[in-house]
Amino acid sequence: MRNRVIKLSYTECKKPFNYLLQKMEKSEEFFFDSDWVEFNKLLNASFTKTTVMSYQEIMNFYTGVYGFKSKKEKKLIETIQNKALTEYSKKHVAKKVENITKTTQKRINKIVTAGQSAGKNRKEIAKELVNNINGMKKNRAMTIARTESANSTSYINHSSLSELGLKRKWVHVGGGKTDREEHVACDNEVVEGDDDYSCGLAYPHEPGADAGDIINCYCLEIMAI
C-alpha cells in the first residue's frame, strides 16, 4: 500500500522542482518573487494530492483486510477518515510547504552567493544551480515523497483506529544499518486509548517528532487482534 502511495507521491513532488529547473534554464534572471509563489503553490498541491491518495489507499486497506464490508461500516470509516484528512491538511500541509520553500531558497541563495564571490559569471552559476537542483529534484523529491506519504498515511490510520476505540500495535519495518533501536524495541508492542509507545511516540511518523524518528522510517501501526 505504502509503495503505491510513494510512487504516486514522487511523481507529484517532482513537479515543483521541475518548475524551478525550467525557470533557471530559460530566464535571464535567476528567480522572481512570482516564481517562489508558483513553487509554493505547486508544492501545496503535491502535498494535498498525496494526502488524498493516502486516504484512498487506507480506505481500500480497511475494507479489504479488516473486513469492513457493510454499508454502515464503510460509512463509519469514511466519516472518520474524512475528518482526519481535513485535520491533517489544516495542521501540517501548509507548514511543511513553508519549511521546504525556505530550505530551497536558502540553498539556492548560498550557491549564488558563493558563485559571485568566486567571480563566476551568470551562466556558470546557473549551471551549478541546475546541477544542484537536479539532484534535489531526484533525491530530495523522493525523500519528501517517502516522508510525506508515510506521515499522512500514519496520521489517517492512527486517527481511524483511535476513533474506533481499537487496540493498536507497532510493527517495525526495516532490517538494516539504519534501524532505530527505539523502534525495534517497539516491535509488536500493543497500546490502547491515549497511551504512547515505549519510544515516546503516539504512532509511527507522528507529526512534531524529531526528524530522526521520521525520515526514511517504514514502521507501521496496525489494529491489534
Side-chain angles (χ1 to χ4, degrees):
M1 177 187 74
R2 183 174 295 172
N3 286 338
R4 288 196 298 272
V5 175
I6 289 174
K7 185 175 180 180
L8 293 168
S9 300
Y10 177 55
T11 300
E12 290 300 317
C13 288
K14 282 197 301 184
K15 292 178 181 178
F17 294 109
N18 279 333
Y19 169 78
L20 289 184
L21 274 172
Q22 291 169 4
K23 295 298 296 187
M24 281 188 289
E25 292 170 343
K26 293 179 180 179
S27 179
E28 286 296 318
E29 299 293 334
F30 288 119
F31 294 104
F32 298 101
D33 288 341
S34 58
D35 296 329
W36 288 112
V37 171
E38 183 63 20
F39 176 72
N40 188 292
K41 181 180 177 181
L42 290 170
L43 202 58
N44 200 323
S46 295
F47 279 165
T48 300
K49 191 168 182 177
T50 295
T51 305
V52 172
M53 288 187 296
S54 298
Y55 161 76
Q56 292 171 337
E57 288 292 337
I58 291 174
M59 277 294 295
N60 293 334
F61 178 77
Y62 269 92
T63 55
V65 178
Y66 287 167
F68 295 123
K69 296 179 180 178
S70 71
K71 289 184 178 180
K72 184 177 181 180
E73 288 173 329
K74 288 183 178 180
K75 187 65 177 177
L76 174 61
I77 296 298
E78 186 172 355
T79 300
I80 292 171
Q81 292 183 337
N82 271 324
K83 177 184 175 183
L85 181 64
T86 301
E87 289 177 349
Y88 185 84
S89 296
K90 285 183 178 179
K91 291 180 180 178
H92 306 294
V93 168
K95 185 177 180 181
K96 290 182 183 210
V97 169
E98 181 182 1
N99 290 341
I100 290 170
T101 302
K102 286 181 178 178
T103 300
T104 303
Q105 283 180 303
K106 286 180 180 178
R107 183 173 181 178
I108 289 173
N109 289 338
K110 185 177 179 179
I111 293 171
V112 172
T113 302
Q116 291 172 336
S117 298
K120 294 180 179 180
N121 60 39
R122 190 194 70 81
K123 288 186 177 180
E124 289 173 325
I125 296 175
K127 183 177 179 181
E128 192 169 343
L129 278 170
V130 169
N131 289 335
N132 278 274
I133 299 301
N134 184 55
M136 181 179 286
K137 179 187 67 173
K138 294 178 180 178
N139 301 328
R140 179 65 166 150
M142 178 54 78
T143 299
I144 292 171
R146 284 174 177 164
T147 303
E148 180 59 21
S149 60
N151 289 356
S152 57
T153 300
S154 290
Y155 183 90
I156 297 168
N157 183 59
H158 173 78
S159 298
S160 301
L161 293 173
S162 297
E163 287 280 344
L164 291 168
L166 301 171
K167 291 183 179 181
R168 310 182 308 279
K169 182 168 73 171
W170 185 296
V171 178
H172 172 69
V173 181
K177 295 180 180 179
T178 59
D179 283 356
R180 300 156 175 86
E181 292 182 7
E182 296 85 356
H183 293 195
V184 174
C186 283
D187 192 31
N188 290 319
E189 191 173 316
V190 176
V191 298
E192 58 184 314
D194 296 326
D195 291 347
D196 292 340
Y197 291 95
S198 59
C199 61
L201 298 179
Y203 56 95
H205 318 285
E206 180 184 4
D210 291 338
D213 276 316
I214 295 177
I215 296 175
N216 290 328
C217 170
Y218 300 98
C219 293
L220 304 170
E221 183 181 58
I222 65 172
M223 180 175 68
I225 300 175

